Amino acid sequence: MLRREGRVLTTTNKNRVPNPWLTISRQEREVMISLSARFGLTPSDRAKVGVPDLPPATTPDGGEPTSPPMPAGEFTGLIGKQTKPN
C-alpha cells in the first residue's frame, strides 16, 4: 500500500499528511528487530542467548554426510542443456 500510495497523502482539504501506513510500517519494523533479538537471529544476539556450537555432522562410518539424490522432475536437465543449432 505504501509503495502504491506514496509516503505523503493529500487530504480533501488539500493538506499534505504522512501516510498512515508509514507509521504502521515503522512500528512493525521495530517489532521485527525486537523479535530477532529475542530469538537470537543476529550474530551478536546469538552470543547473548548462548547457542552452543555443534560439532560437524558425520555419518556412522565417520564420513561426511551426503544428501539423498533428488528424483528427476519434469524440468530436470533444462538448465544448461545442450541444444543443436537448426
Side-chain angles (χ1 to χ4, degrees):
M1 290 295 265
L2 191 55
R3 285 185 182 169
R4 184 175 51 175
E5 295 175 358
R7 292 177 176 247
V8 178
L9 300 176
T10 305
T11 66
T12 55
N13 298 336
K14 306 294 183 200
N15 294 327
R16 294 176 54 117
V17 296
N19 191 329
W21 287 109
L22 186 60
T23 303
I24 293 169
S25 175
R26 286 179 180 156
Q27 289 171 345
E28 293 306 313
R29 180 179 181 271
E30 293 302 317
V31 168
M32 291 300 293
I33 290 170
S34 171
L35 287 175
S36 69
R38 272 191 162 166
F39 289 109
L41 298 178
T42 65
S44 61
D45 294 320
R46 203 169 305 133
K48 293 176 191 172
V49 172
V51 177
D53 290 331
L54 298 176
T58 58
T59 59
D61 63 358
E64 292 289 321
T66 58
S67 299
M70 296 292 292
E74 70 180 287
F75 300 112
T76 301
L78 289 179
I79 297 178
K81 184 176 181 182
Q82 299 293 325
T83 59
K84 296 179 183 177
N86 292 338

